[in-house]
Amino acid sequence: MSPNESQVQARQALKNLKPYSPGKPTWEVQQELGIEKVVKLASNENPLGASPKAVEALLAYLPEIHRYPDAATKGLNEAIAAQLNLQSDQLIVTNGADELIKLVAEAYLDKGDEIVIPHPTFSEYEFGGHLMGATPVLVSFDDQFRYDVDRLLAAVTERTKIVYLCSPNNPTGTYLPKADLQRLLDRLPKRVLVMFDAAYSHYASAEDYSDGLEYVRQGYPVIVLQTFSKIYGLAGIRVGFGAASPDIIRTILQVKEPFNVNALAQAAATAAITDTEHVQKSRKVNEEGREQLYEAFRRLGLKFTESMSNFILLELGPDAGNLYQRLMAQGVIVRYGTGWGLPEHIRVTVGTREENEFLIECLESLLVQQA
Ligand SMILES: *Cc1c(COP(=O)(O)O)cnc(C)c1O
């Protein structure tokens, strides 16, 4: 052992944690490859940028940043409650929705508890579970990445504490139709908490989509996760929230740090939640972008999963890893699927028309070279 290596033992649970691998930032690719034009379609950010109302609110707030933020996020809670037809005590605001996932794990999971997680999905659910010494039970989607409610129900045991659902699911873009969600909720024991991740709900255009909030209003043991990082365009400032019954919220508040959400994030999110114009515009650009990409992928003979979200899972075959690297070398950052156990897939975020066009051109040139 080197003299600098610590002999202090970390918790056993840490051995199970896999580090999160984020999308590569634009500046890093610019520096590494020495190229100027880089298009990032890797982290499902809003290509139109932040809500302009949020930016305005941020700037107006700057002279006040020497003050601690409101620990109870009262103004933001009220703004969200009004927008979503909920009560303030049905809400908890967090430092990005990632924090909510961790807080829920800390509030509810004991060592040995089981958590049911669809696979492949957002990695943070498993992270929270491992952190608390809980056992993740992974349940596969069907061969078209659709939810299989019976499979999920079959995975539930006496030890199950939380069932995680992500709809639309990251990285597949598939969703859980309302009738299936209803059936699942009615069959699950009421001692099981359902964490319903609706980070991409604004992009879902299917008629039978549910964002889960109606089940919160009806009193089911459901917590709906929302974020300001995606359609609201505030990923860099870290703010998200959970909606659930007041007793679930009170439980989670017990493990929250007092000043978890900074004052600028509160100001920005309070403005963004009422900016319906920005949301509508973002949704429209995304729908057009999805069509533009579908059309190109069909033309190129590529298999993809139809998406209810702002990203598309694309099947590129055994050469996917290589294509991912070569796309990057041309200045297009996408996400390689291997972290989800999908080594033949990439996930591309829907960008602006120009960004999508650049991706299509680069991909086409690589496929032509390959043929
Ligand atoms: C982006 C994302 C979140 C939350 O992101 P934050 O930036 O932490 O608010 C949650 N769930 C899914 C599935 C996501 O893709």
Side-chain angles (χ1 to χ4, degrees), residues 42 96 114 141 191 201 255 345-346 363 371:
E114 291 176 3
F141 290 93
R191 60 177 168 76
S201 62
V255 295
H345 290 74
I346 60 169
L363 193 56

Side-chain angles (χ1 to χ4, degrees), residues 64-209:
E64 294 300 318
I65 58 170
H66 59 299
R67 302 288 180 200
Y68 274 96
D70 173 10
T73 64
K74 193 166 181 291
L76 178 52
N77 276 37
E78 283 169 3
I80 298 168
Q83 196 69 28
L84 300 183
N85 190 22
L86 293 165
Q87 302 299 315
S88 282
D89 63 357
Q90 291 178 297
L91 295 166
I92 176 173
V93 182
T94 54
N95 183 31
D98 284 354
E99 190 197 19
L100 178 68
I101 296 170
K102 190 169 160 207
L103 293 179
V104 167
E106 288 171 343
Y108 284 100
L109 296 178
D110 280 314
K111 196 169 188 298
D113 284 344
E114 291 176 3
I115 54 177
V116 172
I117 302 178
H119 178 75
T121 192
F122 193 50
S123 61
E124 292 303 285
Y125 318 138
E126 215 177 317
F127 171 83
H130 278 312
L131 189 64
M132 302 312 295
T135 307
V137 176
L138 305 188
V139 178
S140 302
F141 290 93
D142 74 8
D143 59 359
Q144 292 177 64
F145 297 120
R146 287 176 306 205
Y147 277 97
D148 184 331
V149 167
D150 293 317
R151 250 188 245 174
L152 285 167
L153 285 168
V156 173
T157 73
E158 262 122 69
R159 313 201 75 160
T160 306
K161 205 65 176 288
I162 305 177
V163 172
Y164 293 83
L165 301 169
C166 186
S167 179
N169 184 51
N170 180 4
T172 59
T174 48
Y175 72 105
L176 181 62
K178 187 178 161 181
D180 290 336
L181 174 58
Q182 176 86 54
R183 191 162 74 84
L184 178 64
L185 293 178
D186 285 335
R187 287 191 179 40
L188 278 175
K190 291 293 175 269
R191 60 177 168 76
V192 174
L193 177 66
V194 172
M195 158 69 95
F196 191 88
D197 186 335
Y200 300 99
S201 62
H202 296 87
Y203 297 108
S205 46
E207 296 236 335
D208 60 348
Y209 173 75

